[in-house]
Amino acid sequence: MTSIFERAMGEDFSRLHPQLQRRFGVGLDRGEACIGRGVMTRIRRGPWWTVPFLQIGRLRNILIPDTGTDVPFVIENYAYLDPYGRETVTFVREYTIGTRRRRFDATMVHDAGRIVDYLGTHQHLAVDLDLAVDDDGALVLTSHAQRFYEGPVAFPFPLVFSGRARLREWFDDAEGRFQVDLEVHNERFGFLFGYRGSFTCEWTPVSHVPARLLPRRHERRT
């Protein structure tokens, strides 16, 4: 069995830097989790009018409204089977901004040749991800169509009310650290949110995912 990312990327997965192959190779067959610890050198947001949008996202751990420099953070990647039998990988980030702790929750599954990223504590948003590799062996992730789910309600989430994310993650051999750069833009209003930072990873054997990292509700629909 290969990881959900290798299944989605096919032969391109082998073009990733070896350290990225290990990081995104986390899966049930590996029996290990990847824990990253580091610092966001800068977390920033758009103009003042983006704050209400970010605050709404904060309520379900989808976005964070804070800004800061040299912000410590942890990202935890665990693989597990969700209630519908799908291999799922957690991407839970926790930031320490002054005396506040903020979380950004995401769980990812493979579906029909693509990665679907469920955002938030209740998997309200399902986002299609495009995964590519650049000439430096970095992973370039771009978000596309989004769908909102709540009980029987389901509809495509208009990008005019949301944002499109572009993330680049790479490994710096000189520093021995992973580097990450994210920006989220709205097609009409421009820049909404972004961060840049670096971290190191440790891989630890694991038999189950900690309950604190699981979403409060799993969504069957992709």
Side-chain angles (χ1 to χ4, degrees), residues 89-146:
V89 180
T90 67
F91 277 76
V92 175
R93 306 160 182 86
E94 184 171 87
Y95 307 88
T96 304
I97 304 176
T99 60
R100 300 182 300 278
R101 289 184 179 271
R102 302 295 197 202
R103 268 181 53 154
F104 179 89
D105 288 17
T107 42
M108 302 190 187
V109 302
H110 177 266
D111 180 76
R114 74 192 195 281
I115 295 295
V116 177
D117 188 8
Y118 289 107
L119 300 181
T121 56
H122 292 66
Q123 295 191 341
H124 282 308
L125 279 179
V127 182
D128 292 342
L129 301 182
D130 176 69
L131 306 176
V133 185
D134 68 16
D135 292 338
D136 296 321
L139 177 69
V140 180
L141 178 156
T142 307
S143 67
H144 291 288
Q146 303 179 13

Side-chain angles (χ1 to χ4, degrees), residues 8-218:
M9 297 177 69
E11 294 182 358
D12 275 351
F13 189 83
S14 64
R15 296 178 51 229
L16 289 171
H17 187 285
Q19 288 290 334
L20 287 176
Q21 290 185 44
R22 185 176 185 190
R23 173 159 152 68
F24 290 94
V26 167
L28 289 172
D29 63 320
R30 292 274 295 271
E32 63 180 11
C34 177
I35 314 298
R37 293 182 174 85
V39 173
M40 290 298 177
T41 52
R42 187 182 181 193
I43 298 176
R44 57 198 182 100
R45 65 173 180 239
W48 62 268
W49 44 260
T50 65
V51 175
F53 173 84
L54 297 173
Q55 288 285 6
I56 292 172
R58 177 185 64 82
L59 297 176
R60 292 296 173 89
N61 291 354
I62 295 176
L63 291 169
I64 60 175
D66 306 271
T67 62
T69 57
D70 299 327
V71 175
F73 78 98
V74 177
I75 180 168
E76 300 182 80
N77 303 122
Y78 284 78
Y80 69 98
L81 279 181
D82 76 3
Y84 305 105
R86 301 174 301 187
E87 181 172 358
T88 306
V89 180
T90 67
F91 277 76
V92 175
R93 306 160 182 86
E94 184 171 87
Y95 307 88
T96 304
I97 304 176
T99 60
R100 300 182 300 278
R101 289 184 179 271
R102 302 295 197 202
R103 268 181 53 154
F104 179 89
D105 288 17
T107 42
M108 302 190 187
V109 302
H110 177 266
D111 180 76
R114 74 192 195 281
I115 295 295
V116 177
D117 188 8
Y118 289 107
L119 300 181
T121 56
H122 292 66
Q123 295 191 341
H124 282 308
L125 279 179
V127 182
D128 292 342
L129 301 182
D130 176 69
L131 306 176
V133 185
D134 68 16
D135 292 338
D136 296 321
L139 177 69
V140 180
L141 178 156
T142 307
S143 67
H144 291 288
Q146 303 179 13
R147 297 162 296 282
F148 180 87
Y149 299 124
E150 172 58 43
V153 177
F155 58 86
F157 199 81
L159 286 176
V160 70
F161 298 119
S162 183
R164 190 183 299 277
R166 184 183 187 276
L167 178 144
R168 183 174 185 265
E169 185 171 319
W170 68 102
F171 188 80
D172 188 318
D173 287 296
E175 295 188 9
R177 297 175 68 85
F178 293 88
Q179 307 281 336
V180 61
D181 189 0
L182 167 79
E183 288 194 356
V184 180
H185 290 260
N186 178 274
E187 61 183 26
R188 176 175 297 178
F189 301 113
F191 176 77
L192 296 178
F193 174 79
Y195 58 67
R196 179 161 187 165
S198 69
F199 58 99
T200 59
C201 284
E202 62 181 51
W203 286 266
T204 179
V206 64
S207 59
H208 68 281
V209 59
R212 60 183 172 79
L213 300 179
L214 294 172
R216 299 179 188 176
R217 185 197 70 174
H218 285 87

